[in-house]
Amino acid sequence: MNLPSRPIPRRWLVRGAVALVVLALVAPAAISGATYLVTTDDPTNLRASVDDPANGTTVISIQGFHFQGMANANKPARLVAVGPRGGVKWVHNGSGFDARWFYDVDPLENRNLLVTATTPNATLVYELNPETQERVWTERLPIHDTHDVDRINGDQLLVANMRAPDRDDRIFVYNTTTDETVWEWRFENHGYSKSGGGGANDWTHVNDVDKIGEGEYLVSPRNFDQVIVVNRSTDSVTMRLGSDGDHATLYEQHNPQYLESENGTPTVLVADSENDRVVEYARNDSGGWTRTWSVGTRGLNWPRDADRLPNGNTLVTDTMHHRVFETTPTGEVVWEFHAPWAPYDAERITYGDEPGGPTARDMGETGEYNLSGSGLKVGGDTKTVSFWLAEAFDGTPVDGQADDFARLWAHVTPWIRPVWMTSWEFLGAILAGGVVLAWGLGEAVYQRRRIRSGVSGFASRVRRVTE
């Protein structure tokens, strides 16, 4: 006997459809999580895209993430050495060396590395033998959150001292043999207003200092939007690019590199961080500067290092896209390595510290360029959420808002996204949570009478028990 079939109630059809949507949104993240737990013990998920092999090994300093001084075990400070075709050669984990964050890393003449790291309330500087992963020597400086220390004149350390108490920011030279400061230059003594910059807790944010000549130091006071050259003998500023608040020139830049053209024209290559670009400026006869080359704006998110290589390409650390790439003068990405989380600095060991290369003018490649090439697709993965947002809404009435949201997404989500999720999987999980929340609210409205009746009955039972 055939029983009469009943149509499925519409409310159950809606519930089933919503459940399928939630399942579709969370399934990719769930599969990635299961794969991660079963098949890998490496939380870095390092990937590369290489059209032209690099000349030698690239060492990348990964800043790492922490909150209120507590490091994230899955996102530690580390150094990563990458081969010409993008293969990982070794990883130096900072958590085993009491390093909370890694910043500047410099190849030395003996092929070792000079590492700048931070520990709570101190700066850790050491020479690392990459073959043995052992420290050759270590210096602990009682200064907070220093981003750059260079070795000069054999036994001296050139230090960018930021976040000093009472806005006492400075650059200084420390003699490791005699354990004394042999020279210092304080910003407050050279026209820097204490009402400018970044405020009491982070006034100048001087993030880089390089020796560019005998007694000449290139200095980057980030929060004053400028790059200067300081003469050690006279204590004077001999060159200045940018000024506080002139964001059209520089906007809270990082790690400038000094170049000279074939005719001797001073040139500066800068990771113009808050403008999301890499720029090159040449000094003109009047003492001002002309922007001769730039790459980025779309496709970069808070770059913090850019080095001109001898072949004319530029090695860029694109921090909030968690990658390092090499681009031609016309913006074509030919080598790329994804290195979560938050890379700060990258150096080609073959070329040593700050080797320099030809200027844009000498190459005949002046102008503004967008990024192109295979660098936006790595290991079969599609473009990240932030890349897609910026491109999808380019030229629309909401492209500015889309860029702002893409930037916010790229800055914030790495702090909370599990290491085994891609940006799209994380977005799917967030959307699934939103659907579940809306579903729950909808059910509460639909079942409001039943809920109200249940609450009233429970309250009545409680009253009878307590009477």
Side-chain angles (χ1 to χ4, degrees), residues 335-359:
W335 185 96
E336 180 182 31
F337 185 81
H338 279 223
W341 303 87
Y344 181 82
D345 185 26
E347 301 288 342
R348 286 273 160 82
I349 295 179
T350 300
Y351 300 133
D353 183 28
E354 303 292 339
T359 67

Side-chain angles (χ1 to χ4, degrees), residues 202-375:
D202 190 14
W203 181 42
T204 66
H205 199 98
V206 54
N207 55 36
D208 190 61
V209 59
D210 296 316
K211 180 180 178 180
I212 61 173
E214 194 58 41
E216 293 280 330
Y217 303 140
L218 185 71
V219 185
S220 173
R222 187 198 77 175
N223 285 350
F224 280 90
D225 307 311
Q226 60 189 254
V227 174
I228 61 175
V229 175
V230 174
N231 183 285
R232 178 171 175 171
S233 299
T234 64
D235 279 353
S236 60
V237 175
T238 58
M239 285 188 278
R240 189 188 310 271
L241 166 63
S243 60
D244 192 12
D246 176 18
H247 295 162
T249 302
L250 294 175
Y251 190 4
E252 296 192 356
Q253 75 291 331
H254 284 78
N255 297 332
Q257 182 187 29
Y258 181 78
L259 307 170
E260 279 192 1
S261 65
E262 293 174 353
N263 63 7
T265 299
T267 305
V268 178
L269 179 71
V270 193
D272 191 9
S273 304
E274 293 293 341
N275 281 326
D276 293 329
R277 63 186 182 181
V278 174
V279 291
E280 182 178 311
Y281 287 91
R283 202 175 194 206
N284 53 46
D285 294 338
S286 64
W289 298 85
T290 301
R291 189 166 72 229
T292 54
W293 180 84
S294 70
V295 68
T297 302
R298 293 193 180 275
L300 287 178
N301 194 324
W302 207 42
R304 290 194 293 174
D305 188 37
D307 293 338
R308 180 64 42 78
L309 304 176
N311 65 359
N313 290 349
T314 304
L315 186 65
V316 179
T317 302
D318 190 9
T319 294
M320 283 305 171
H321 282 146
H322 313 291
R323 64 175 184 157
V324 171
F325 65 86
E326 180 181 339
T327 176
T328 66
T330 57
E332 181 184 0
V333 174
V334 295
W335 185 96
E336 180 182 31
F337 185 81
H338 279 223
W341 303 87
Y344 181 82
D345 185 26
E347 301 288 342
R348 286 273 160 82
I349 295 179
T350 300
Y351 300 133
D353 183 28
E354 303 292 339
T359 67
R361 280 179 171 173
D362 289 343
M363 293 186 289
E365 297 289 359
T366 58
E368 298 181 359
Y369 299 92
N370 293 319
L371 292 173
S372 62
S374 66

Side-chain angles (χ1 to χ4, degrees), residues 9-253:
R10 183 178 298 178
R11 63 180 180 276
W12 287 107
L13 290 175
V14 172
R15 287 166 178 161
V18 173
L20 287 175
V21 170
V22 172
L23 180 62
L25 289 170
V26 300
I31 293 171
S32 291
T35 303
Y36 169 77
L37 291 174
V38 172
T39 64
T40 182
D41 59 358
D42 180 10
T44 56
N45 191 28
L46 305 178
R47 302 162 296 154
S49 173
V50 176
D51 292 338
D52 293 335
N55 182 12
T57 298
T58 305
V59 61
I60 303 169
S61 71
I62 307 297
Q63 181 176 330
F65 283 165
H66 76 91
F67 180 74
Q68 296 297 323
M70 300 299 293
N72 185 325
N74 287 329
K75 304 173 185 179
R78 66 187 72 182
L79 302 179
V80 180
V82 185
R85 295 188 176 275
V88 177
K89 301 182 70 172
W90 52 260
V91 176
H92 175 68
N93 197 322
S95 60
F97 289 82
D98 65 356
R100 185 178 69 179
W101 281 4
F102 278 137
Y103 289 109
D104 192 64
V105 56
D106 294 329
L108 301 174
E109 292 182 359
N110 61 4
R111 308 286 290 186
N112 287 347
L113 300 172
L114 182 69
V115 180
T116 301
T118 62
T119 63
N121 302 315
T123 292
L124 192 67
V125 186
Y126 59 90
E127 181 179 338
L128 176 70
N129 184 325
E131 299 296 328
T132 64
Q133 293 290 297
E134 295 178 347
R135 297 184 192 181
V136 177
W137 56 264
T138 302
E139 191 74 44
R140 188 179 295 268
L141 302 174
I143 53 179
H144 174 60
D145 197 24
T146 301
H147 286 23
D148 188 26
V149 178
D150 287 1
R151 189 162 73 182
I152 63 172
N153 306 329
D155 61 350
Q156 296 181 344
L157 298 177
L158 177 60
V159 183
N161 183 194
M162 58 186 280
R163 301 189 200 273
D166 301 321
R167 294 185 176 93
D168 202 19
D169 297 12
R170 58 181 177 152
I171 57 174
F172 67 91
V173 175
Y174 180 79
N175 190 307
T176 59
T177 301
T178 62
D179 293 327
E180 61 179 346
T181 298
V182 296
W183 176 82
E184 66 178 10
W185 189 91
R186 298 179 183 273
F187 286 90
E188 66 175 338
N189 296 333
H190 297 276
Y192 285 83
S193 170
K194 289 190 174 182
S195 62
N201 295 326
D202 190 14
W203 181 42
T204 66
H205 199 98
V206 54
N207 55 36
D208 190 61
V209 59
D210 296 316
K211 180 180 178 180
I212 61 173
E214 194 58 41
E216 293 280 330
Y217 303 140
L218 185 71
V219 185
S220 173
R222 187 198 77 175
N223 285 350
F224 280 90
D225 307 311
Q226 60 189 254
V227 174
I228 61 175
V229 175
V230 174
N231 183 285
R232 178 171 175 171
S233 299
T234 64
D235 279 353
S236 60
V237 175
T238 58
M239 285 188 278
R240 189 188 310 271
L241 166 63
S243 60
D244 192 12
D246 176 18
H247 295 162
T249 302
L250 294 175
Y251 190 4
E252 296 192 356
Q253 75 291 331

